[in-house]
Amino acid sequence: MNLTLKIWRQAGPDAQGELATYPVTDITEDMSFLEMLDVLNEELIGKGEEPVAFDSDCREGICGMCSLMINGQAHGPEVTTTCQLHMRSFSDGDTITIEPWRAEAFPLVRDLIVDRSAFDRIIQAGGYISVNTGAAPEANNLQVQKHKADRAFDVATCIGCGACVAACPNASGMLFLGAKISHLGELPQGQAERDSRVVKMLNQHDAEDFGGCQNLGECSAACPKEIPLDVINQLNHDFLRAKR
Amino acid sequence: MPELIDNLYALGDQIEDTKAPKVPVAEMWTKAKFENKLVNPTNRRKLSIIIVGTGLAGGAAAATLGEAGYHVKSFCYQDSPRRAHSVAAQGGINAAKNYNDDGDSIYRLFYDTVKGGDYRSRESNSYRLAEVSANIIDQCVAQGVPFARDYGGLLDNRSFGGVQVARTFYARGQTGQQLLIGAYQAMERQVAAGTVEQFTRHEMLEVIIVDGKARGIIARDMVTGEIETHLADVVVLASGGYGNVFFLSTNAMGCNVTATWRAHRKGAYFANPCYTQIHPTCIPVAGDYQSKLTLMSESLRNDGRIWVPKRREDCEKDPRNIPEEDRDYYLERKYPSFGNLVPRDIGSRQAKVVCDEGRGVGPLVGDFRRGVYLDFADAIKRMGRDAVKTKYGNLFDMYQRITGENPYEVPMRIYPAVHYTMGGLWVDYGLETTIPGLFAAGEANFSDHGANRLGASSLMQCLSDGYFVLPNTIRDYLAQGPFEPVAEDAPEVLEARKSVEDRIDKLLSINGDRTVDSFHKELGHIVWEYCGMERNDAGLRKGIDLVRSLRQEFWRNVKVPGSADTLNQSLEKAGRVADFFELAELMFIDALHRSESCGCHFRSESQTEDGEALRDDEKFAYVAAWEFAGGSEGSYEPPVLHKEDLIFNFIQLKQRSYK
């Protein structure tokens, strides 16, 4: 395949950014999207130009490091991470626009890389169960109904990539937050801090300049781990419960 | 300089003492915990700890030492600690809980570990690992890790390669992710409490040693390019393994050897570097551009059956049209009692054997087809498609996404790939390296797995080290404090800074015409070809020559664009690949000197009549701990070998058999 790439280039947070156009040739459909960018970067370095900076690490769809708005969609046209998006999703002659995540709360670092540390700070605000090492009771003393354990797992699969925020017109982080609230709130171990957790995490979410939720559902539609939209209902429910 | 052996290395002093208590193995850890000195809670906040890496070992250690009240500085190269590569482990974590009453015990997990490692691990450390394992599950459950449950609400288990009990706890195919999130959350709780300071997008580039003790690190802020000095009373390296020396591996792209290699150059011994685990169930290589390999969880071998056609001429056929009698279920045939659940080294080598015979399947790569079938047709018949989907659904989806083939309809194709490195920094029983005050944990150390790691044991070892071992052994070291403060401009600090700056300047100034990745790929190819699944004397010698000449070319001809004072991914890679070159040479030397086969180290000169690994306990029942002997860019002086004899008091050395 031969493709035309339009890629956001920006040397730093304060520099002027622009879309630059690069043709790439001989792309095969077995390549992952990031391997296609590797090919471009090798070419750029060969020509003495600076390669495009982008984030990736595990390249097997689980670390959440890769990002990219591809033709305006978070992680591109398939419901997966960018590293698991393959070029068979594109056709010869396509023009592909590649931009960084867009959100107030995710400031740009360079080219396609943004700073997602706001998510860490939301977790710091209360996204955990307080238990010191060595203080844990025997694991099977605590029974968890299978459907609850399964539900906790389903929502715990969030990889913190930020696609939900990037896809949301308001750049809301409620799906990320809802996934954590639902994961810990589903389990008996999570009950002691359930009320305080939701209040503290939500306050931090707002302090980080994430937008409000209007229940548009773009977040869940873009989520590579298919976190269901109802975690936001759970979040709202728990918040009201905590306020009572 | 002592006399050179084989013109490659010199022999140094024997390592006499690993500092394990001199009591029966079952009492060692209890005794050590009691004898390790205590640090009074009010003194702890005056003591500081640097931890490099935020995976299961580093994250768990940061959380636990933070809880204890020490001041912890935690470093990772990713944008968040939650992204450490432990996140990618799929299958599960072992623990000797005996919830199934199938005969499991601490002693059996210990036995399986030592046997699985082909009698090249320490009894003391392996026993402690088994002993601590049950506490790990308790800890993780309390943190809210959503392990699989049965309908009674109790924890579920499954079985993994190399064992005959079901002792593996799991969270579908994402156990690593769930455990890591548990450790990460525990660590973030300490960040909020102010005991842990978190430095993301930072890469450690040097260890600072003052008066013979590790007292800090030099790190590069990967966003601003700033070279920073961080001082502390103790340094822990929990920076993972070095499988990316092969370029293609199941490791994350950023996994590198720099932290441990820099420590090695400063005096920490590097043990058993040639022990590389090749994982039997990975998605086969598809093309030249490929950047990494993806593992399919070993748990698939519980229900999937592995086979190749009996006849070469069937290899191109649609597998569904090959009748039962024309299929060779070679693992079930050769190893009837373990079948498809043989340990990883055996599963990998047998796949290579059948592909080398010309019976591999899938596309031609060079002259060979490099793939075998992992077939779920029988499981779907037996359990139903829905049950298979419940058990392995996310793995099947992942396979389909990568290959474009539907594994519910056509058998998966798998082939072995580089996965885990059992070698690492030499540590004593307390996980301290040969540099006082420098500790190594998780995959970064060498101690628990011997020459082959059992499936589901890496998560166990990392969390054991991080949650339970280090917090107990570091306090013994810290009890020697308070330590004399080190000045930011002490000569040792300035020297370490300068060496980092000089190296960066050098890499940027070469301005040759080959990219870093092209060197890395070529290096990886050499290591895979001559120090991969099977090694021999001539190949290893050839590999050393090839690595040396490629390294010289690297320092003459690498092209690193951009500058040092900004985010520069080419520069990051260049530093790592430079270290991989030196490590590769040491791997070759270690593999060459160990002229026996053991576990994942298969020397073709040393095999039984059936083609199984043939150990030589008379000559090689020792840990090979290598000391750096000098060398600058482009040269690596012959290292010095220190042997630590492996003494087996509780487990009898036997020829390993899984038949």
Side-chain angles (χ1 to χ4, degrees), chain A residues 144-224:
Chain A
V144 183
Q145 287 165 292
K146 186 166 172 17
H147 71 272
K148 290 202 163 208
D150 286 350
R151 163 79 179 174
F153 176 85
D154 286 340
V155 292
T157 55
C158 168
I159 54 175
C161 62
C164 48
V165 175
C168 174
N170 290 348
S172 170
M174 294 284 257
L175 193 76
F176 169 79
L177 189 50
K180 188 76 321 176
I181 292 292
S182 302
H183 162 207
L184 300 177
E186 199 65 55
L187 298 168
Q189 304 90 307
Q191 298 311 309
E193 293 167 291
R194 187 166 163 190
D195 291 352
S196 63
R197 177 184 305 123
V198 65
V199 173
K200 289 195 281 188
M201 289 180 78
L202 207 46
N203 284 342
Q204 188 64 35
H205 170 273
D206 294 351
E208 295 286 350
D209 281 338
F210 287 103
C213 173
Q214 287 180 298
N215 259 304
L216 297 171
E218 290 290 334
C219 51
S220 182
C223 174

Side-chain angles (χ1 to χ4, degrees), chain B residues 344-394:
Chain B
R344 291 176 173 181
D345 57 330
I346 292 177
S348 297
R349 270 196 13 84
Q350 292 305 327
K352 180 178 190 298
V353 167
V354 294
C355 291
D356 288 352
E357 285 169 6
R359 296 193 289 140
V361 295
L364 277 172
V365 180
D367 295 339
F368 282 97
R369 293 174 203 282
R370 301 263 177 225
V372 300
Y373 290 123
L374 175 61
D375 196 342
F376 281 84
D378 280 359
I380 291 172
K381 240 180 263 164
R382 174 166 49 85
M383 305 156 64
R385 191 181 161 124
D386 287 348
V388 170
K389 191 171 180 173
T390 307
K391 223 165 159 184
Y392 305 112
N394 59 336

Side-chain angles (χ1 to χ4, degrees), chain B residues 268-280:
Chain B
Y269 293 177
F270 208 109
N272 300 335
C274 79
Y275 290 170
T276 305
Q277 181 163 74
I278 314 281
H279 194 291

